[in-house]
Amino acid sequence: MSAPSLAAAPAVFELGLRVYWEDTDAGGIVFYANYLKFFERARTEWLRSKGHGQEALRRDAGLMFVVAHTAVNYRAPARLDDWLLVDVQVTASARASLTLAQQAWRLEPDGQRTRLADGSIRIGCVDVVRHRPHRIPPELLQALS
Amino acid sequence: MSAPSLAAAPAVFELGLRVYWEDTDAGGIVFYANYLKFFERARTEWLRSKGHGQEALRRDAGLMFVVAHTAVNYRAPARLDDWLLVDVQVTASARASLTLAQQAWRLEPDGQRTRLADGSIRIGCVDVVRHRPHRIPPELLQALS
Amino acid sequence: MSAPSLAAAPAVFELGLRVYWEDTDAGGIVFYANYLKFFERARTEWLRSKGHGQEALRRDAGLMFVVAHTAVNYRAPARLDDWLLVDVQVTASARASLTLAQQAWRLEPDGQRTRLADGSIRIGCVDVVRHRPHRIPPELLQALS
Amino acid sequence: MSAPSLAAAPAVFELGLRVYWEDTDAGGIVFYANYLKFFERARTEWLRSKGHGQEALRRDAGLMFVVAHTAVNYRAPARLDDWLLVDVQVTASARASLTLAQQAWRLEPDGQRTRLADGSIRIGCVDVVRHRPHRIPPELLQALS
């Protein structure tokens, strides 16, 4: 019997973040549009963890990622002071776009996780001047895949 | 040949709104998550136009709508000072949920429209205390359909 | 007996706006930071009413207004579905800055107004490239004063 | 000559945070209203560091803090990807309110700090039901002072 292969482990990046007043609405829970913000914070830190800050990408290569499509399922509400974990995983890549699966979880006091939302986000690489699709730089694509 | 029947006309509600600084991001365009806000403003005014303010629904019936699923395609960017039109149309209804098609358009100076984003939003009716699914009140469902 | 002088009338601009879910927080009321957004929407429409859209100012003159100082008193809470009136009045002007008094009111069902917040906002005119203070164009200053 | 007294050291709490797309506006910089969000995140973590999460305060004591007054000076702009440090210091306390001095700094690559904004925030303790002023619980006041 062989041990699980490390190579087969899913390449999941995860960001922790706190729910603040600004994130909630009068229903007492996190306003659903804000999960898109949480997902983006995780994508930004995931890019940074690969050595590609977006401000540098913009300044040095004249490129930025724009969001082309989002689909989100809302499963359970988050509340003020909750500690969330938001993950990122590449599910598909093309010449000028990436599709990512993202999930937001609440870390419960007992260490368990409750899944709050999951989504699929497609981002496209564009030049900052004309906002036209542009090939993802090969070294960036390789770092992200 | 008969004229198109008014009864057959799609029941589309439309809200106009302005793009302000708060809506934009450093890419110089409207931050994509904010289309969910625009869509919700339109749904809120659509409910009100049917005689059902959400604060009253909450206070009188103990009910609220929560968003269960969102899917949005981003087609063209909006910019500061743009005047947008956001529409709402019911595409499906169930006991405790509604699915809506929504689009955001920019009204161009020449009166033409440019489609910026379109989406499908599923909202569920829940009681405000336990956040459990609750049947949409029949008179509300009838007014919305 | 003389008629009230038009010249003596306070030059107050007023914008009406609705409170949506996005504006509220888990306390059930409008998140206080959002009054700065409401104040800015009113300033933007006030500028437009004077014939000076900010996107045009940016494109044509290479200028923008940035906020240098804000002071806000929060007096009463606003809630979902409230209809607010937000006003703008110039209280001081200098070569490259303006100080504005702004108030947010709730329009009550009986037509009375409840003052929710008031503030003083100082905005500075800067060039869009270097963000350095720049003289307010005389025709703009005249239109605003 | 005596060494500096530890007792005399200013009791400053500090939170680090990243600037994301959601925080910026079309001017390419952090939208000024968002400093109020940053200040609040720091206050929330400062309360937590003293052993008083706001959700617990709400649930257990029926109390919450509301913002009564904010005054903010904007000194330099923050940009995407900047790492900010936001501090909190009590400058005055009363029966049912606290006044806090808060500053936001950018941590530069060379380790220096640039002050971006500073403000004075007065928060009042209220009961969650009627939003009436309520005495700050003595043990909380002692922990915070």
Side-chain angles (χ1 to χ4, degrees):
Chain A
M1 236 182 98
S2 65
S5 160
L6 267 179
V12 175
F13 175 88
E14 195 170 76
L15 174 71
L17 59 87
R18 179 76 64 185
V19 174
Y20 294 112
W21 281 101
E22 66 189 84
D23 304 312
T24 61
D25 70 18
I29 61 176
V30 166
F31 184 60
Y32 63 96
N34 290 338
Y35 286 95
L36 289 182
K37 295 185 178 180
F38 298 164
F39 285 172
E40 175 157 310
R41 293 182 201 173
R43 291 197 305 275
T44 294
E45 296 302 341
W46 164 71
L47 279 169
R48 191 191 323 284
S49 76
K50 304 295 189 183
H52 294 270
Q54 289 180 83
E55 186 58 30
L57 185 67
R58 186 189 171 95
R59 190 183 53 234
D60 301 341
L63 298 177
M64 57 190 281
F65 282 107
V66 294
V67 172
H69 178 78
T70 61
V72 183
N73 295 301
Y74 302 93
R75 299 181 179 282
R79 291 191 161 76
L80 194 62
D81 276 355
D82 282 351
W83 181 253
L84 307 189
L85 298 167
V86 183
D87 60 34
V88 186
Q89 195 171 9
V90 178
T91 55
S93 65
R95 195 178 175 279
S97 73
L98 291 174
T99 303
L100 308 163
Q102 297 201 254
Q103 299 170 100
W105 308 82
R106 177 173 46 234
L107 189 62
E108 307 291 355
D110 64 1
Q112 297 291 311
R113 291 173 170 216
T114 303
R115 187 163 61 161
L116 305 177
D118 59 89
S120 173
I121 314 288
R122 193 173 73 246
I123 58 176
C125 184
V126 302
D127 70 88
V128 297
V129 177
R130 298 177 312 157
H131 281 232
R132 296 281 177 77
H134 189 286
R135 187 184 177 192
I136 301 172
E139 69 280 8
L140 174 55
L141 187 57
Q142 190 169 11
L144 299 182
S145 297
Chain B
M1 237 184 98
S2 65
S5 161
L6 266 181
V12 174
F13 174 89
E14 194 169 77
L15 173 71
L17 60 87
R18 179 75 65 186
V19 174
Y20 294 113
W21 280 102
E22 67 190 84
D23 303 313
T24 60
D25 70 18
I29 61 176
V30 166
F31 185 60
Y32 64 95
N34 290 338
Y35 287 94
L36 289 182
K37 295 185 179 180
F38 298 164
F39 286 171
E40 175 157 311
R41 293 183 201 174
R43 292 197 304 275
T44 294
E45 296 302 342
W46 164 72
L47 280 169
R48 192 191 322 284
S49 75
K50 304 295 188 183
H52 294 272
Q54 291 180 80
E55 187 57 30
L57 185 66
R58 185 189 172 95
R59 189 183 52 233
D60 301 340
L63 298 176
M64 58 190 281
F65 283 107
V66 294
V67 172
H69 177 79
T70 61
V72 183
N73 295 301
Y74 301 92
R75 299 180 180 281
R79 291 192 160 75
L80 194 64
D81 275 355
D82 283 350
W83 180 254
L84 307 189
L85 298 166
V86 183
D87 60 34
V88 186
Q89 195 171 10
V90 177
T91 54
S93 65
R95 193 177 177 278
S97 73
L98 291 173
T99 303
L100 308 163
Q102 298 201 253
Q103 299 170 101
W105 309 81
R106 177 173 46 232
L107 189 62
E108 307 291 355
D110 64 2
Q112 297 291 311
R113 290 174 170 215
T114 303
R115 187 162 63 161
L116 306 177
D118 60 88
S120 173
I121 314 289
R122 193 172 73 245
I123 58 176
C125 184
V126 301
D127 70 271
V128 297
V129 176
R130 297 178 312 157
H131 282 232
R132 295 280 177 79
H134 190 284
R135 188 183 176 192
I136 301 172
E139 69 280 9
L140 174 55
L141 187 58
Q142 189 168 12
L144 299 181
S145 296
Chain C
M1 233 184 101
S2 64
S5 162
L6 267 179
V12 174
F13 174 88
E14 195 169 76
L15 173 71
L17 60 87
R18 179 75 64 187
V19 174
Y20 295 112
W21 280 103
E22 67 189 84
D23 303 313
T24 61
D25 70 18
I29 61 176
V30 167
F31 184 60
Y32 64 95
N34 290 338
Y35 287 94
L36 289 182
K37 295 184 179 180
F38 298 165
F39 286 171
E40 176 157 310
R41 294 183 200 174
R43 291 197 304 275
T44 294
E45 296 302 343
W46 165 72
L47 279 168
R48 191 190 324 283
S49 75
K50 303 296 187 181
H52 294 271
Q54 289 181 83
E55 187 57 30
L57 184 67
R58 185 188 172 95
R59 189 182 54 234
D60 301 340
L63 297 177
M64 58 190 282
F65 282 107
V66 293
V67 173
H69 179 77
T70 61
V72 184
N73 295 300
Y74 302 93
R75 299 180 180 282
R79 290 191 162 76
L80 194 63
D81 275 354
D82 282 351
W83 181 254
L84 307 190
L85 298 166
V86 183
D87 60 34
V88 186
Q89 196 171 10
V90 177
T91 54
S93 65
R95 194 178 176 278
S97 73
L98 291 173
T99 303
L100 308 163
Q102 298 201 254
Q103 298 170 101
W105 308 81
R106 177 173 48 231
L107 189 62
E108 307 291 354
D110 64 1
Q112 297 291 311
R113 290 175 171 214
T114 303
R115 187 162 62 161
L116 306 177
D118 59 88
S120 173
I121 314 289
R122 194 173 73 245
I123 57 176
C125 184
V126 301
D127 70 271
V128 297
V129 177
R130 297 178 311 157
H131 281 233
R132 296 280 176 79
H134 190 284
R135 188 184 176 191
I136 300 171
E139 70 280 8
L140 174 55
L141 187 57
Q142 190 169 11
L144 300 181
S145 297
Chain D
M1 239 183 97
S2 65
S5 161
L6 266 180
V12 175
F13 175 88
E14 195 170 76
L15 174 72
L17 59 86
R18 179 75 64 186
V19 173
Y20 294 113
W21 280 102
E22 67 190 83
D23 304 312
T24 60
D25 70 18
I29 61 177
V30 167
F31 184 60
Y32 64 95
N34 290 338
Y35 287 95
L36 289 182
K37 295 185 179 179
F38 298 165
F39 285 172
E40 175 157 310
R41 294 182 201 173
R43 291 197 305 275
T44 294
E45 296 302 342
W46 164 72
L47 280 169
R48 192 190 323 283
S49 75
K50 303 297 188 182
H52 294 271
Q54 289 180 84
E55 187 57 30
L57 185 67
R58 187 188 171 97
R59 190 182 53 234
D60 301 340
L63 298 177
M64 58 189 282
F65 282 106
V66 294
V67 172
H69 178 78
T70 60
V72 183
N73 295 300
Y74 302 93
R75 298 180 181 281
R79 291 191 161 76
L80 194 63
D81 276 353
D82 282 351
W83 181 254
L84 306 190
L85 298 167
V86 183
D87 59 35
V88 185
Q89 195 170 10
V90 177
T91 54
S93 66
R95 194 177 177 279
S97 73
L98 291 173
T99 303
L100 308 163
Q102 297 201 255
Q103 299 170 101
W105 308 82
R106 177 172 48 231
L107 189 61
E108 307 291 354
D110 64 1
Q112 297 291 311
R113 292 174 168 214
T114 303
R115 187 162 62 159
L116 306 177
D118 59 89
S120 173
I121 315 288
R122 193 173 72 245
I123 58 176
C125 184
V126 301
D127 70 89
V128 296
V129 177
R130 297 178 311 156
H131 281 232
R132 296 281 177 79
H134 189 285
R135 187 185 178 191
I136 301 171
E139 69 280 9
L140 174 55
L141 187 57
Q142 189 168 12
L144 299 182
S145 297

